[in-house]
Amino acid sequence: MTDTIRIIDLFAGPGGLGEGFSEYQTDTGSFPFKIVASVEKEQSAHKTLTLRAFYRQFRGRKVPDAYYKYLSTNEKRSAEEFFSEKCPEEWAAAKQETLGGPKALGSEDHEEIFSEIERAIEDHSGPKLVIGGPPCQAYSLVGRARNKGIKGYTAEKDDRHFLYQEYLKVLDLVQPDIFVMENVKGLLTAKVNGESIFEKIRKDLLCPARAVNSDREQIEYELLPLASPLEDLGGLGHFQNKDFVIRAEDFGIPQARHRVILLGVRKNLRKGNIQGELLAKWRSDAHITPSQVLADLPRLRSGLTRHKPNDFNSWRDNLYNGLSKVYSALSFSQAAQDLAQRAYESASGDPGQGGRFVPLSRSLATKMPGWLKDWYKDDAMVGVVNHEARNHMPEDLHRYLFASCHASVNKGASPRSADYPEELAPAHKNWKSGNFADRFKVQAENRVASTVTSHISKDGHYFIHYDPSQCRSLTVREAARIQTFPDNYFFEGNRTQQYVQVGNAVPPLLANYIAEVVHDIIQESEAL
């Protein structure tokens, strides 16, 4: 490589996609990708993004103890106050990378954003890359179902449907060698005025300058799927929409996350034919499961909502009060009943609810493959961050205990509403209607996890921990592990905001694989 590959990261969220590219390392030990501008409008996500940009300033150098101190103490000062004093140069560089504050594409921030992007790439003769995905709420199946319930809602007036046009404008400005655009699978079936949104996006991405009526050079791109075998690129039109879907679980990501990812390559960049499946190197039938990525995290207990005192004894008493109901409901399996009994008996000491930082007093057994451990772990970490269990309604803990025991003896299958006896059923008139059949979902020990979504911030019922003795939903750190964020990746904001950030992100490990594909394409073009 003759120069660093500069990256513009749009709709960056907490930085999952950028993290994968930034952490890509060549066989010679170099890190060819450098993020020079990240755009994110949500304040807490922007704080997370800036903190990670600060961490990256020390690549090739020892990360200062101050970084780990900030993570491991209940620091009352913000990262801005903490690091601008201790590491002023690196903090200033991180702030510049994230444009000094939250910025929204398609808003009054337009001129400032574009000016900062131009600054970031000026006098750069090496390769350039644009990554990111417009907000997906308007395209997702859940979002579209929700929108139907909004009086007077019309897709034609929803600005989120057209934020991809801001992405096009940046492509026109930067004229990158390659771009990566990610979105939800629901994009494939979304329509506005009867027209397929995805078909229009595909067409517009072939020549962004033409799509936005720009006077700049009309750079043309080829759109390549990453997880489907490629035909001769002369037959590019043969790709079907579904070919652009990546099933993350097939590539070592411990969740069933299916996303549309488009790889755009300048037509004049490709000097040879590209064949086969671009991500084939990482495809595997051996799926990674929750137990492999969560087993070594400190055990926690949930708290009790609207209950005083909210302490360990109250939690244990509540568990005991529901034990007979759960035990009876599990009468179909002695093994399941034994699990419920052991869950109560194991509650002899208070593991606590965790918090911003949970110290590790001893090394816990891990089921991680070595390569995955290398990705997550940081030897300088002496604990776990963002690991705090939520409070739950007392009755829900009984349902969690029942569900986790049920799943443990049924090959990971969570109980359906019809499996719950009357004494464990929620007080909802439509509970038995079938609309709430999978209201409580266990992230089973040895089955790929469900897609981690932003909805985890509002409802833990769909993300129940597989361990019956913990009786709770997943913490932010556990969700981050399933999303493949490294353990030293700290999420700013309150707990709800942290969940949203994790749920909206691209799995960094998947992004890391895509980074190698992009690097290889650029390297091959320079070699010819």
Side-chain angles (χ1 to χ4, degrees):
M1 304 299 294
T2 58
D3 199 357
T4 299
I5 305 171
R6 293 194 180 182
I7 297 178
I8 307 299
D9 190 2
L10 306 178
F11 308 104
L17 192 53
E19 174 71 6
F21 275 85
S22 298
E23 285 300 306
Y24 170 68
Q25 191 172 12
T26 67
D27 292 338
T28 60
S30 67
F31 293 89
F33 294 101
K34 178 177 176 57
I35 299 176
V36 292
S38 292
V39 185
E40 172 53 40
K41 71 172 184 177
E42 201 280 317
Q43 189 172 42
S44 62
H46 183 270
K47 288 180 179 179
T48 298
L49 198 63
T50 305
L51 180 61
R52 197 59 180 181
F54 169 77
Y55 173 85
R56 283 196 292 267
Q57 302 305 314
F58 299 94
R59 176 153 293 136
R61 296 186 285 156
K62 181 181 181 295
V63 178
D65 293 339
Y67 177 77
Y68 299 102
K69 181 180 179 182
Y70 177 75
L71 268 56
S72 63
T73 60
N74 288 318
E75 185 58 53
K76 301 302 181 184
R77 290 174 293 173
S78 66
E80 167 83 23
E81 295 168 324
F82 191 85
F83 293 116
S84 60
E85 174 187 319
K86 296 183 179 296
C87 307
E89 291 184 10
E90 289 84 359
W91 185 254
K95 287 186 64 177
Q96 184 177 55
E97 179 182 313
T98 59
L99 310 191
K103 301 286 187 301
L105 284 161
S107 73
E108 65 275 7
D109 298 330
H110 178 93
E111 293 299 329
E112 184 176 356
I113 292 171
F114 276 58
S115 176
E116 286 296 309
I117 290 176
E118 286 184 301
R119 172 200 56 76
I121 60 174
E122 64 181 354
D123 301 325
H124 177 67
S125 59
K128 298 187 293 292
L129 178 67
V130 172
I131 62 176
C136 61
Q137 295 93 332
Y139 305 131
S140 70
L141 298 179
V142 172
R144 282 149 60 186
R146 188 181 301 118
N147 292 337
K148 287 181 179 180
I150 300 175
K151 185 177 180 180
Y153 176 86
T154 59
E156 293 76 13
K157 295 180 181 179
D158 190 334
D159 292 339
R160 296 174 299 176
H161 276 298
F162 304 102
L163 278 174
Y164 85 90
Q165 293 175 351
E166 297 301 315
Y167 190 96
L168 291 171
K169 292 174 185 176
V170 175
L171 291 180
D172 174 52
L173 173 69
V174 177
Q175 298 186 343
D177 298 80
I178 293 178
F179 64 81
V180 178
M181 183 176 181
E182 181 267 353
N183 220 294
V184 293
K185 187 179 177 182
L187 180 64
L188 299 183
T189 54
K191 293 184 178 181
V192 173
N193 290 325
E195 180 182 10
S196 166
I197 285 285
F198 188 59
E199 292 290 349
K200 178 168 176 52
I201 289 176
R202 283 184 65 178
K203 179 181 177 182
D204 288 346
L205 288 173
L206 295 176
C207 184
R210 185 165 58 237
V212 298
N213 296 316
S214 169
D215 294 331
R216 293 187 180 89
E217 181 183 359
Q218 294 192 352
I219 305 297
E220 294 189 342
Y221 294 87
E222 296 171 320
L223 302 181
L224 308 182
L226 287 155
S228 297
L230 301 176
E231 305 168 74
D232 182 343
L233 293 185
L236 189 64
H238 294 166
F239 292 138
Q240 301 179 49
N241 290 347
K242 63 182 180 63
D243 293 333
F244 294 93
V245 174
I246 293 180
R247 295 166 53 94
E249 67 270 28
D250 293 337
F251 300 93
I253 310 303
Q255 62 174 308
R257 195 177 193 89
H258 302 168
R259 289 294 187 266
V260 171
I261 300 185
L262 294 160
L263 180 69
V265 181
R266 270 196 188 211
K267 278 190 174 181
N268 61 355
L269 181 68
R270 180 178 61 84
K271 301 299 192 299
N273 197 25
I274 304 174
Q275 293 181 326
E277 180 187 341
L278 295 178
L279 287 177
K281 175 180 176 180
W282 300 277
R283 182 178 285 279
S284 174
D285 293 332
H287 291 165
I288 303 297
T289 62
S291 66
Q292 290 176 279
V293 296
L294 303 184
D296 66 325
L297 292 174
R299 292 182 68 257
L300 303 176
R301 63 165 174 86
S302 60
L304 299 176
T305 301
R306 301 172 190 169
H307 191 285
K308 292 183 180 180
N310 180 18
D311 58 15
F312 171 65
N313 288 333
S314 297
W315 179 84
R316 192 171 190 271
D317 289 345
N318 176 69
L319 194 63
Y320 178 76
N321 292 336
L323 190 59
S324 61
K325 292 184 289 187
V326 172
Y327 197 84
S328 175
L330 294 171
S331 60
F332 65 88
S333 168
Q334 183 62 52
Q337 289 181 321
D338 291 346
L339 282 172
Q341 183 66 37
R342 284 200 297 272
Y344 172 73
E345 292 173 351
S346 67
S348 56
D350 186 8
Q353 285 188 247
R356 172 191 173 103
F357 178 81
V358 181
L360 282 176
S361 56
R362 60 189 177 88
S363 180
L364 299 174
T366 179
K367 299 180 180 180
M368 279 187 198
W371 61 270
L372 197 54
K373 186 176 180 180
D374 291 342
W375 173 260
Y376 284 115
K377 301 293 186 176
D378 181 342
D379 291 338
M381 297 284 289
V382 293
V384 179
V385 294
N386 301 125
H387 191 45
E388 180 182 17
R390 288 189 281 204
N391 293 334
H392 297 295
M393 296 297 292
E395 299 82 2
D396 281 336
L397 296 192
H398 306 155
R399 299 177 188 113
Y400 287 8
L401 178 59
F402 169 70
S404 55
C405 292
H406 184 286
S408 292
V409 299
N410 282 286
K411 298 181 179 180
S414 298
R416 312 286 281 180
S417 58
D419 296 319
Y420 287 79
E422 199 65 40
E423 55 268 28
L424 284 179
H428 196 295
K429 62 182 181 180
N430 293 322
W431 169 246
K432 296 291 186 180
S433 68
N435 295 330
F436 300 90
D438 59 352
R439 182 76 178 90
F440 297 92
K441 177 81 169 181
V442 179
Q443 298 309 312
E445 186 173 10
N446 296 311
R447 177 185 288 191
V448 171
S450 305
T451 307
V452 176
T453 67
S454 62
H455 191 65
I456 191 175
S457 66
K458 299 179 181 179
D459 185 359
H461 294 341
Y462 207 69
F463 299 93
I464 301 172
H465 197 288
Y466 59 80
D467 180 4
S469 69
Q470 299 192 52
C471 259
R472 60 177 177 82
S473 60
L474 300 182
T475 66
V476 170
R477 178 49 48 191
E478 288 164 339
R481 277 274 186 97
I482 289 173
Q483 277 278 56
T484 68
F485 278 95
D487 287 352
N488 58 20
Y489 209 109
F490 185 80
F491 295 90
E492 296 278 17
N494 61 40
R495 191 172 58 204
T496 296
Q497 292 167 331
Q498 293 167 11
Y499 275 122
V500 170
Q501 292 173 51
V502 174
N504 284 336
V506 174
L509 184 57
L510 180 62
N512 189 252
Y513 299 156
I514 297 172
E516 181 168 333
V517 171
V518 169
H519 178 260
D520 287 349
I521 292 174
I522 292 175
Q523 194 172 46
E524 289 170 9
S525 73
E526 292 189 341
L528 295 173

